[in-house]
Amino acid sequence: MNYAPIIKEIGRGAKGARPLDVDQAQAVFGDMLDGKVPELELGAIVMALRIKSESAEELLGFKRAIDARTPQLAVPSGPRCVVLPTYNGARRQANLMPLLALLLAREGIPVLIHGRHDFDNRSSPFALLAALGVHPAADTAAAAAALARGAIACMKLDTLLPGLDRLLALRLRMGVRGSAHTMAKLIDPCRGRSARVVAVTHPEYLQRMHHFLRADGGHAMLLRGTEGEAYANPRRRPEMKVFEDGMARIAWNAEEGGAPPLADLPDCPEVADNAALIEAILDGRRALPAALAAQAETLRALAHG
């Protein structure tokens, strides 16, 4: 493919750039995933998309490229598999994404966690998961076997989708995130049998993801994540929106007011303390935060829907 005409269209800046159509976006992102784009052109495409931001058509095209390359896991009969992305880790607060996964799993709901961690200033979610007895699967067959026996399945991105993992690794060289980071949170390894949790960091992406999830279909929950992780902030419940086959509804409105620290929920991003906090909540020695209870309740219903 000649990438110069593509770069010419998307590289004119936030106001002058033109979006790719769905087919163009699918072809270009597919080449990016397959490692076919030379480094110079790849850097130009990544930065052009970051500056202008992705259109709805581009997101759909990128997703089609990802779907064509994402291996699918068999989900046992019964509830849908809740898919939790983890690409940030803890910085100031405890990471309660594993708590959400464990709450669902102990009620018989299949859970798949996928992600990547490359931050020096955040605690690794995979180290936290390991402290709680959840370890990455060696391959998709092992992940499917974990689901079959009722355990939480966990896959690192370099195992699940190596081409996308290489794109995310560019952040360390370029200094900024790109479209690949947005798309990583939309991966669906259980199409038709999944309930994805889509967590965004920046408020403007809530509207963009709303339109995307309606067009993409399937079952999903959209919320503003906590420090980038896919769980409801216990300090102030965010709006949680549910999508079912193109139809959207608000499951929980956002709480008003600020988000001060909670006296009964310590800020403990370090792995050992974070794991101990989660175990104490699961054992009933500490109260389950209301925002997490609301999210788990909604995901249970979505998984059974």
Side-chain angles (χ1 to χ4, degrees):
M1 180 185 294
N2 181 7
Y3 302 104
I6 299 293
I7 297 169
K8 183 178 179 181
E9 293 299 318
I10 67 174
R12 297 178 186 271
K15 295 183 179 179
R18 298 178 183 176
L20 305 175
D21 63 33
V22 174
D23 291 338
Q24 288 176 314
Q26 180 178 355
V28 169
F29 206 73
D31 281 1
M32 292 167 66
L33 291 170
D34 295 341
K36 294 180 179 179
V37 185
E39 280 199 339
L40 177 64
E41 288 86 343
L42 178 61
I45 292 169
V46 169
M47 292 307 298
L49 289 170
R50 177 176 173 83
I51 291 168
K52 82 170 191 64
S53 75
E54 312 91 348
S55 69
E57 291 78 12
E58 286 168 342
L59 289 174
L60 287 170
F62 297 166
K63 178 60 164 41
R64 289 182 185 178
I66 285 176
D67 283 346
R69 293 160 177 79
T70 303
Q72 296 296 291
L73 277 66
V75 177
S77 60
R80 297 173 183 273
C81 180
V82 172
V83 180
L84 291 168
T86 181
Y87 288 85
N88 286 58
R91 182 171 53 186
R92 291 186 292 268
Q93 296 182 225
N95 183 357
L96 300 183
M97 179 278 295
L99 171 62
L100 178 63
L102 290 162
L103 287 171
L104 295 169
R106 74 181 183 182
E107 295 193 21
I109 297 172
V111 177
L112 168 66
I113 299 170
H114 67 83
R116 184 180 198 277
H117 184 72
D118 59 9
F119 292 94
D120 293 332
N121 61 344
R122 291 173 179 256
S123 295
S124 168
F126 295 103
L128 175 59
L129 287 163
L132 294 165
V134 179
H135 302 277
D139 50 34
T140 53
L147 294 180
R149 64 175 182 270
I152 293 174
C154 178
M155 293 194 72
K156 288 192 173 182
L157 188 62
D158 59 357
T159 300
L160 179 62
L161 195 54
L164 189 60
D165 185 74
R166 289 192 297 270
L167 293 180
L168 265 65
L170 292 176
R171 183 191 68 83
L172 299 175
R173 295 180 62 186
M174 304 184 72
V176 294
R177 301 188 190 201
S179 299
H181 289 83
T182 299
M183 301 313 301
K185 298 181 179 183
L186 300 172
I187 294 172
D188 192 350
C190 317
R191 288 193 301 277
R193 293 282 291 126
S194 66
R196 289 173 292 166
V197 180
V198 179
V200 302
T201 302
H202 302 291
E204 63 269 20
Y205 266 84
L206 288 171
Q207 192 65 21
R208 194 173 301 171
M209 286 296 105
H210 170 92
H211 294 300
F212 171 83
L213 290 170
R214 287 199 62 185
D216 189 49
H219 286 51
M221 168 185 281
L222 174 65
L223 77 162
R224 190 172 182 186
T226 307
E227 296 190 341
E229 288 293 325
Y231 68 94
N233 194 334
R235 296 181 178 180
R236 185 182 65 184
R237 187 189 66 225
E239 178 184 88
M240 288 182 259
K241 194 174 288 185
V242 166
F243 296 79
E244 296 174 282
D245 300 324
M247 302 298 293
R249 62 179 175 85
I250 296 175
W252 295 90
N253 289 311
E255 288 181 327
E256 300 293 335
L262 301 176
D264 58 347
L265 190 70
D267 291 336
C268 50
E270 296 79 11
V271 168
D273 292 339
N274 197 155
L277 173 63
I278 289 174
E279 289 171 341
I281 295 172
L282 290 171
D283 292 345
R285 290 177 282 121
R286 283 188 178 271
L288 173 64
L292 268 292
Q295 186 179 14
E297 175 188 328
T298 304
L299 286 172
R300 281 195 295 268
L302 187 63
H304 284 283

